Amino acid sequence: MNALAATSRNFKQAARLLGLDSKLEKSLLIPFREIKVECTIPKDDGSLVSYVGFRVQHDNARGPMKGGIRYHPELVLKLRSLQSPLQYVIIGVFPIIAYIRTRSVESGLLQNLVDPDEVNALAQLMTWKTAVANIPYGGAKGGIGCAPGELSISELERLTRVFTQKIHDLIGTHTDVPAPDMGTNSQTMAWMLDEYSKFHGYSPAVVTGKPVDLGGSLGRDAATGRGVLFATEALLREHGKSISGQRFVIQGFGNVGSWAAQLIYENGGKVVAVSDISGAIKNSKGIDVPSLLKHTIEKRGVKGFNGADPIDANSILVEDCDVLIPAALGGVINRENANGIRAKFIIEAANHPTDPEADEILSKKGVVILPDILANSGGVTVSYFEWVQNIQGFMWEEEKVNNELKTYMTNGFKDVKEMCQTHNCDLRMGAFTLGVNRVARATVLRGWEA
């Protein structure tokens, strides 16, 4: 089941539990706006290349729409069979017909299309996530189908600026506030801010996840990983446990996974296995996370770390542990591997890591899953703090950022538990009913039928 189908299924189950009117249910599911733009840039060698950029703006009932911009090849369909020097590809996925004008095909040009279902699902997920976190946003998501590792810094800058030029009228401080995502970073946001400001004047609150020197918030880099820590603490406390002494397996050692590992280690947790794109390692006595972090910086991956033994990366999810943290791509826990999972708790640091079929299998096994729309909401919560600081023109100390984040994550868990008790459901459906209910109430109060 793809991400859009799974997210829509969870939404419909929540809508049934809440007894939502069918017309309101349909209104909440349909995106507010879907944008598709052509982004043509000159490459460093002088040739021209075109990419397709998307922005799906899902809902704005509770405030400006919010969501990441990702540059990633796994989100794309690559058109490898373009024959003529000038060709038009008609796309009817969205309500509008868009075209891609391709040039320099003879030189091996590949056109990349962002998978619209993936972007749509992530935009919808952001609507429910911001509502669960109780921050005044709706959901959005965007991206450009490209392989950022194959582009130079100057090419990435040109691509980002062209994309911003195409969507600047449709984003804004009180309209839609982008942030970094897979394949993008604070530098990407700095380029977006600069390009947007050429049209609208200096507007630091138009994007979040910026460099601190341009109005970024202290604590933003660690925010998602720190939020995972606070959410895990809340869940374990509910079961009479603490971070200290628990055995953790972390799949994915990028920004989120590495920060989660570091903070878990500092709080007495034992990280026994870790994986990333380079491979996987295990030490049943506990990995020295600070040493591993130094190694990954030097070697660009966990592979070869001498403080642990190498293992098959495909086995990372079924390693023996107390807490499993998938912090990589979606759909990694499925019906094929769910029966083999030995963790008692799963903390979804990635977006949509667990398929609905796996959910059912794990539920029967008694595995407790903390869903992504709560577990990884630390990033968007601190993005909200950054937005607030930019609007006020008053920046916070990092300690205040972290303390506020802990309050929001802890309150979010309590609110989800209350919905679980009200509707006699698991944590995922408790989170979805909480998020959907808050958005539905705001929609009705604003007069959606007018």
Side-chain angles (χ1 to χ4, degrees):
M1 184 178 292
N2 69 23
L4 181 60
T7 303
S8 298
R9 171 175 156 169
N10 287 328
F11 165 78
K12 289 175 181 176
Q13 287 181 359
R16 281 198 297 273
L17 283 174
L18 293 166
L20 291 188
D21 176 84
S22 60
K23 295 192 293 293
L24 177 59
E25 179 182 336
K26 185 177 181 181
S27 175
L28 291 176
L29 202 55
I30 298 172
F32 172 77
R33 182 189 286 129
E34 294 172 337
I35 305 155
K36 184 189 294 179
V37 296
E38 178 197 8
C39 300
T40 300
I41 63 166
K43 297 198 75 178
D44 291 345
D45 63 7
S47 64
L48 291 175
V49 61
S50 294
Y51 299 93
V52 175
F54 286 98
R55 187 69 174 170
V56 176
Q57 298 172 329
H58 181 256
D59 190 275
N60 63 356
R62 300 183 69 253
M65 292 165 284
K66 188 85 184 74
I69 299 286
R70 58 172 54 184
Y71 297 173
H72 201 272
E74 286 194 17
L75 289 179
V76 304
L77 304 169
K78 296 183 178 178
L79 308 182
R80 301 176 183 273
S81 58
L82 302 180
Q83 301 298 325
S84 62
L86 183 62
Q87 181 169 347
Y88 293 88
V89 181
I90 304 299
I91 305 165
V93 176
F94 287 100
I96 59 172
I97 301 295
Y99 69 82
I100 311 162
R101 191 176 182 185
T102 64
R103 305 171 179 88
S104 303
V105 178
E106 311 93 324
S107 63
L109 170 67
L110 289 180
Q111 288 300 325
N112 297 309
L113 307 181
V114 175
D115 179 0
D117 278 357
E118 178 81 7
V119 179
N120 204 324
L122 293 171
Q124 187 190 141
L125 205 60
M126 283 299 296
T127 296
W128 318 133
K129 182 185 293 184
T130 53
V132 169
N134 206 18
I135 55 179
Y137 287 141
K141 208 74 172 183
I144 301 175
C146 66
E150 297 174 7
L151 298 175
S152 68
I153 296 296
S154 59
E155 288 168 344
L156 284 170
E157 179 176 357
R158 287 194 289 274
L159 181 58
T160 301
R161 289 183 181 277
V162 169
F163 183 52
T164 307
Q165 290 166 16
K166 296 293 181 79
I167 67 170
H168 76 90
D169 281 335
L170 300 169
I171 63 173
T173 301
H174 300 290
T175 306
D176 179 1
V177 183
D181 202 306
M182 202 177 297
T184 59
N185 54 29
S186 60
Q187 179 61 71
T188 315
M189 295 302 103
W191 292 328
M192 287 195 76
L193 163 62
D194 183 70
E195 197 64 30
Y196 180 88
S197 296
K198 291 176 182 178
F199 296 94
H200 303 275
Y202 184 59
S203 309
V206 71
V207 293
T208 59
K210 302 180 295 295
V212 172
D213 289 340
L214 287 176
S217 178
L218 296 172
R220 176 62 183 85
D221 189 47
T224 307
R226 194 176 297 276
V228 167
L229 172 76
F230 293 149
T232 304
E233 283 180 333
L235 176 64
L236 292 176
R237 193 180 306 117
E238 181 77 15
H239 291 265
K241 302 177 186 295
S242 66
I243 296 287
S244 180
Q246 298 296 305
R247 296 169 303 142
F248 292 80
V249 166
I250 301 176
Q251 186 215 27
F253 209 67
N255 174 273
V256 179
S258 61
W259 272 110
Q262 181 178 335
L263 294 166
I264 286 166
Y265 177 86
E266 290 173 1
N267 282 270
K270 186 186 291 186
V271 178
V272 295
V274 168
S275 72
D276 66 6
I277 195 168
S278 71
I281 57 171
K282 176 183 177 180
N283 183 339
S284 57
K285 295 181 180 179
I287 294 169
D288 183 342
V289 175
S291 297
L292 177 60
L293 288 168
K294 291 178 183 176
H295 173 85
T296 57
I297 292 169
E298 293 170 1
K299 305 296 184 182
R300 297 192 173 187
V302 302
K303 185 178 180 181
F305 179 62
N306 60 15
D309 299 319
I311 58 171
D312 182 1
N314 293 323
S315 72
I316 190 78
L317 297 170
V318 296
E319 289 294 330
D320 186 26
C321 64
D322 300 308
V323 184
L324 171 63
I325 303 179
L329 294 173
V332 295
I333 300 175
N334 48 52
R335 61 185 176 188
E336 281 77 30
N337 60 18
N339 277 314
I341 288 176
R342 291 185 276 177
K344 304 175 185 69
F345 302 94
I346 296 176
I347 313 296
E348 295 186 334
N351 284 319
H352 182 61
T354 312
D355 282 347
E357 295 91 342
D359 247 347
E360 294 176 10
I361 295 169
L362 292 166
S363 178
K364 289 175 183 176
K365 290 178 62 177
V367 178
V368 178
I369 301 175
L370 193 65
D372 49 1
I373 59 173
L374 173 60
N376 67 21
S377 63
V380 71
T381 301
V382 174
S383 279
Y384 165 59
F385 299 161
E386 180 178 332
W387 181 74
V388 168
Q389 292 170 74
N390 292 157
I391 290 172
Q392 291 180 331
F394 181 81
M395 307 308 289
W396 300 355
E397 296 292 335
E398 186 169 358
E399 184 180 2
K400 178 177 173 63
V401 173
N402 293 340
N403 288 340
E404 290 290 339
L405 175 59
K406 185 170 186 175
T407 298
Y408 270 77
M409 297 299 299
T410 304
N411 289 344
F413 181 79
K414 289 177 181 175
D415 292 343
V416 168
K417 284 297 294 183
E418 285 180 11
M419 293 300 278
C420 291
Q421 292 163 4
T422 300
H423 297 287
N424 190 28
C425 59
D426 62 15
L427 287 168
R428 188 181 309 283
M429 204 43 52
F432 266 88
T433 52
L434 176 64
V436 171
N437 189 49
R438 282 175 171 165
V439 176
R441 287 175 61 186
T443 302
V444 171
L445 286 168
R446 290 184 64 163
W448 70 285
E449 289 182 305

